[in-house]
Amino acid sequence: MPPIPQHIGPIDIVPLIPYLAIIVILGFILAIVPGLIWIERVVISLMQDRIGPNRVGPRGLLQTIADGVKLFFKEDVQPVAVDKKIYYLAPVLSMIPALAAGATIPFASITVKMDNGTLRTLPMIVGDVSIGLLYVLALASLQVYGIVLAGWSSNNKYSLLGGLRSSAQIISYELAMSLAIMSGILMCGSVNLVEIVHRQAGGFWNWNVLQFFPLGLIATLVYMIAMVAETNRAPFDLPEAESELIAGFHTEYSSMKFAMFFMGEYAAMLGVSGIATTLWFGGWLSPIPLSVPVLGPVLTAVPSAVWFLLKMFVFFFGYVWLRATLPRLRYDALMAIGWKRMLPLSLVVLFGVAVWATFRMPEPPAAAAQDQPGPRVRMAGPSSPAGGRP
Amino acid sequence: MNWPLIFFAILALLSVGSAILVVANQNPVRSALFLVVNFFVLAVFYFTLGAEFIGAVQIIVYAGAIMVLFLFVIMLLNLGAPEALRERGKLGPAPAIVLALVFLSLLGGVGAIDSGLRPVNPQAATFMATGGTPEKVGLALFSPSLPWLFPFEVTSFLLLIGVVGAIILAKRRI
């Protein structure tokens, strides 16, 4: 990417970056959801040897737009015995945290040519805060309220069961997910997502998924399983198991209120995929660094936002693949996997990473040194005052 | 215009209002919901004071804890009759007056009333200047030269005892 000049006309770019990032994130999430649904339907029908949507628009591309318009004009049914205020609040509560979680995920880095001639690489991010990952975890813990309140306020047995299942599932899998994220934090020595990406610079062998081999790989797998469970997607979609619960927590919701749950689910999927990309797969970085001949300059010339999107779409494809392949889990199997397999496994991994990191802090790559807003204290163990490097 | 003070006033109104509604509400699910609002506003207070780590942890820990409270409410009550949980036998205003007096004397004890809204502890100003980022909190908590490591370890041991005790109470046969 060629560097962007600091001033375009009279406008200074640098202080505008957070606002640009807000527009990009919100616009991207809201605009991409119909596309994602189309991709999901086409891929699943290919996997199941069906044709899939092919009537509206070229290759059925406009099918989801048509569905959206249909939802918009549908009658807004409000059942008699619902708890009205909470009933209307629940779809909002399921969508807002999913949209807000994108605020601390850096999705690109741009090179700005400052007025005095120096080059600065700046991350595209809304809030480059010190608590980055913790903020995302906090919003993830708020996400469940939308579903539980929808199930409770609907005054419907199936909705309530769906809501209860969802809360139990999310409480169980949040533990394994947090522990896996903590392993990632220990590998990087930072909670800030921009710094986590900087620490993974220098090629795909520096990404956290391949660090502390095989502990990083196991932690990544645990995170990925937990992330599917956290977003209530197949094979963990028990809260809306249609063969048992009609449609689970959103049985009583029609028209745009249902559409908001739908959007919230896809926004949450994008959010956790973005975290997975940033934490384990090097964020916006290209897999081959500039120093490698031939491949390096070609791949680093690709804009960083494209790399981030590509990695995120791999995760989305994984979601769709799982949905087309695996049957829904039985409820006791779901709990057994969460509590008896994934939680002990992630605890062992966390312990292993902690021991390993105490004796060998990973070499900070050269890119980490440049362009950090103010000095950051590295979280080194007490035994390694000088970084503990051999 | 004193924007920080206006912001503080809005937050204070929100937090006190939601706290009152937690107690005053007849519907237990709504009470729990207002408790979430109250904890969330408290987290925003922490953010405005520069204690980012504590603010985030406040949301993570308490949002999860209230989720469990929700489950208790839903499981203990019949669906569709949340008002069934009425308190039997009202205590009347006498205990409320006594508790209010105790609360006011506590406020007076820490000097909150006569100092206005200024921070009572002079160290608070330096804390706000240096910030409560995870790095700072972690270094303060685990450095051997500061007195926080031992209380931290004792607290974690206490929590472990709580977990083991809960399992022993819940399971008849281990």
Side-chain angles (χ1 to χ4, degrees):
Chain A
M1 280 269 284
I4 304 163
Q6 189 193 357
H7 285 88
I8 296 177
I11 305 164
D12 190 355
I13 288 283
V14 176
L16 282 181
I17 285 178
Y19 302 99
L20 287 176
I22 292 176
I23 296 169
V24 170
I25 286 180
L26 281 184
F28 174 76
I29 293 178
L30 295 177
I32 201 70
V33 167
L36 291 180
I37 297 170
W38 178 79
I39 293 174
E40 183 171 3
R41 293 182 65 180
V42 168
V43 171
I44 288 184
S45 49
L46 284 175
M47 287 181 179
Q48 296 173 341
D49 204 12
R50 294 186 284 116
I51 293 171
N54 67 345
R55 295 286 141 181
V56 191
R59 303 187 70 87
L61 253 174
L62 298 176
Q63 180 67 52
T64 38
I65 312 267
D67 287 346
V69 172
K70 181 201 75 177
L71 273 177
F72 201 80
F73 285 110
K74 243 179 154 178
E75 186 190 354
D76 189 24
V77 183
Q78 188 214 312
V80 180
V82 297
D83 188 324
K84 262 181 220 156
K85 281 179 192 144
I86 298 179
Y87 176 76
Y88 281 104
L89 190 68
V92 183
L93 279 183
S94 84
M95 194 160 158
I96 298 282
L99 288 179
T104 56
I105 302 175
F107 57 89
S109 94
I110 53 170
T111 312
V112 180
K113 190 173 182 355
M114 303 301 278
D115 286 341
N116 54 16
T118 52
L119 291 177
R120 274 182 75 187
T121 40
L122 295 170
M124 283 288 277
I125 186 172
V126 179
D128 188 6
V129 289
S130 64
I131 50 166
L133 262 175
L134 293 174
Y135 167 85
V136 174
L137 278 179
L139 283 171
S141 67
L142 291 179
Q143 182 104 49
V144 64
Y145 282 101
I147 293 175
V148 174
L149 288 176
W152 181 79
S153 68
S154 291
N155 206 350
N156 174 329
K157 290 185 188 64
Y158 298 113
S159 298
L160 184 72
L161 281 174
L164 285 180
R165 278 186 180 186
S166 170
S167 60
Q169 178 177 326
I170 289 184
I171 288 172
S172 310
Y173 280 78
E174 209 167 29
L175 295 171
M177 186 169 164
S178 311
L179 285 172
I181 287 180
M182 259 185 250
S183 317
I185 293 173
L186 268 183
M187 288 176 193
C188 294
S190 177
V191 194
N192 179 286
L193 284 160
V194 175
E195 199 169 328
I196 285 174
V197 174
H198 281 317
R199 293 296 291 263
Q200 301 177 65
F204 67 87
W205 51 88
N206 276 345
W207 292 355
N208 276 340
V209 61
L210 293 176
Q211 289 290 308
F212 295 71
F213 192 82
L215 295 177
L217 195 61
I218 301 173
T220 308
L221 285 177
V222 168
Y223 175 84
M224 279 160 64
I225 295 171
M227 114 188 163
V228 178
E230 284 275 304
T231 44
N232 294 320
R233 292 279 299 185
F236 298 102
D237 57 346
L238 285 105
E240 41 188 306
E242 70 274 0
S243 51
E244 308 154 29
L245 296 181
I246 309 178
F249 60 91
H250 55 61
T251 305
E252 299 289 349
Y253 284 87
S254 56
S255 99
M256 277 316 276
K257 298 200 293 296
F258 166 73
M260 280 181 84
F261 279 118
F262 215 70
M263 296 278 281
E265 184 179 314
Y266 278 82
M269 280 161 68
L270 288 177
V272 288
S273 304
I275 294 294
T277 304
T278 313
L279 186 57
W280 308 109
F281 293 91
W284 69 76
L285 301 167
S286 91
I288 309 285
L290 202 58
S291 53
V292 174
V294 190
L295 261 183
V298 174
L299 290 184
T300 40
V302 175
S304 49
V306 174
W307 281 120
F308 189 82
L309 266 183
L310 269 179
K311 293 173 187 174
M312 227 162 77
F313 269 96
V314 170
F315 283 104
F316 183 74
F317 184 80
Y319 265 114
V320 176
W321 195 354
L322 282 178
R323 187 178 159 189
T325 318
L326 293 179
R328 187 176 298 128
L329 264 79
R330 218 176 53 227
Y331 195 73
D332 59 326
L334 173 94
M335 285 292 151
I337 292 174
W339 288 100
K340 293 181 186 165
R341 300 279 185 281
M342 282 173 50
L343 184 62
L345 188 64
S346 52
L347 269 175
V348 169
V349 168
L350 181 65
F351 185 71
V353 169
V355 170
W356 197 328
T358 313
F359 288 111
R360 192 215 74 164
M361 284 299 280
E363 202 76 35
Q370 74 184 30
D371 188 56
Q372 283 174 12
R376 284 218 176 84
V377 187
R378 280 174 62 201
M379 282 203 297
S383 65
S384 53
R389 264 172 263 135
Chain B
M1 289 295 258
N2 193 348
W3 287 112
L5 193 65
I6 293 171
F7 192 63
F8 174 81
I10 295 172
L11 283 178
L13 274 179
L14 275 177
S15 69
V16 173
S18 59
I20 289 173
L21 282 170
V22 171
V23 192
N25 227 310
Q26 292 282 349
N27 185 328
V29 169
R30 290 201 181 164
S31 295
L33 207 57
F34 279 115
L35 199 57
V36 181
V37 175
N38 189 23
F39 284 148
F40 194 82
V41 177
L42 215 56
V44 180
F45 269 124
Y46 287 132
F47 288 135
T48 60
L49 290 172
E52 298 159 7
F53 178 73
I54 304 293
V57 168
Q58 164 89 13
I59 298 177
I60 293 172
V61 172
Y62 285 103
I66 300 174
M67 199 63 243
V68 179
L69 194 67
F70 260 120
L71 293 185
F72 272 119
V73 169
I74 293 173
M75 284 175 187
L76 289 176
L77 300 177
N78 287 327
L79 176 60
E83 279 83 7
L85 187 78
R86 303 253 184 207
E87 285 162 60
R88 288 184 212 97
K90 297 240 167 175
L91 287 170
I97 293 169
V98 172
L99 285 176
L101 284 176
V102 171
F103 178 65
L104 283 178
S105 62
L106 274 177
L107 279 185
V110 297
I113 291 173
D114 46 84
S115 71
L117 286 172
R118 286 184 303 280
V120 181
N121 188 346
Q123 282 183 339
T126 57
F127 172 77
M128 280 171 69
T130 55
T133 61
E135 286 91 347
K136 294 270 167 56
V137 174
L139 284 174
L141 209 53
F142 292 108
S143 66
S145 56
L146 288 171
W148 308 118
L149 186 57
F150 181 68
F152 179 78
E153 297 287 352
V154 170
T155 313
S156 59
F157 195 65
L158 210 63
L159 285 173
L160 183 68
I161 293 173
V163 171
V164 174
I167 291 174
I168 287 175
L169 285 179
K171 281 211 145 189
R172 297 226 172 74
R173 198 165 51 85
I174 297 170

